[in-house]
Amino acid sequence: MSLHDPISDMLVSISNGQKSNKILIFVPNSNIKRNILLVLKNEGYIIDFELNGYFIKIFLKYFNDKSVIEYIKRVSSPGLRVYKPTNQLPNVLSGFGIAIISTSQGVMTDKDARKKGIGGEIICYVA
């Protein structure tokens, strides 16, 4: 596993963990990862997460033996950052999914960013 893009590595770990029906996965700790996981928890895509030394323990969520996260995709990468103003923030699956945005007021969903009238860097899409 390469650590050139730690956020992408975390998203792939979550996706692979759910494809193999794991209940729990571990990813290296960082502030941005904790903020992204907090958004995923608040939106109901994961059960919970907790710090475990240098790692974050993520409890994955399932409903009727299917993973709650059907689609997770990294948008902005270290080599190509994607910034959008408020009026150009994406609607993921016509509002059924979320875009996680890094703004000047913290990491939040596209819906919260629209309410606050701020744009930012699009981190990923989740559905």
Side-chain angles (χ1 to χ4, degrees):
M1 177 197 293
S2 69
L3 291 177
H4 296 289
D5 185 5
I7 295 170
S8 180
D9 290 339
M10 179 186 74
L11 298 177
V12 168
S13 294
I14 290 172
S15 178
N16 289 343
Q18 289 201 315
K19 285 177 185 174
S20 60
N21 293 320
K22 298 214 183 250
I23 298 170
L24 170 68
I25 62 168
F26 292 89
V27 296
N29 187 9
S30 75
N31 287 336
I32 187 73
K33 290 179 190 177
R34 287 194 307 267
N35 292 334
I36 292 169
L37 289 171
L38 185 62
V39 170
L40 289 175
K41 178 184 172 186
N42 291 341
E43 293 295 316
Y45 288 104
I46 62 173
I47 294 173
D48 201 2
F49 68 95
E50 61 185 41
L51 295 178
N52 190 7
Y54 294 106
F55 293 96
I56 304 172
K57 190 189 297 187
I58 304 172
F59 299 93
L60 301 176
K61 188 173 184 178
Y62 298 91
F63 181 74
N64 290 338
D65 295 330
K66 286 190 170 184
S67 61
V68 173
I69 298 174
E70 293 181 9
Y71 175 79
I72 190 164
K73 181 184 179 204
R74 178 82 156 120
V75 176
S76 189
S77 66
L80 181 62
R81 303 287 185 187
V82 178
Y83 296 95
K84 297 288 181 184
T86 308
N87 60 350
Q88 293 180 6
L89 289 175
N91 246 343
V92 180
L93 290 176
S94 301
F96 286 105
I98 62 168
I100 298 179
I101 314 290
S102 177
T103 69
S104 59
Q105 297 180 12
V107 177
M108 61 185 73
T109 65
D110 56 322
K111 296 166 191 156
D112 293 337
R114 271 192 218 93
K115 285 179 190 173
K116 293 183 178 186
I118 53 177
E121 179 185 355
I122 301 171
I123 297 174
C124 64
Y125 298 145
V126 183

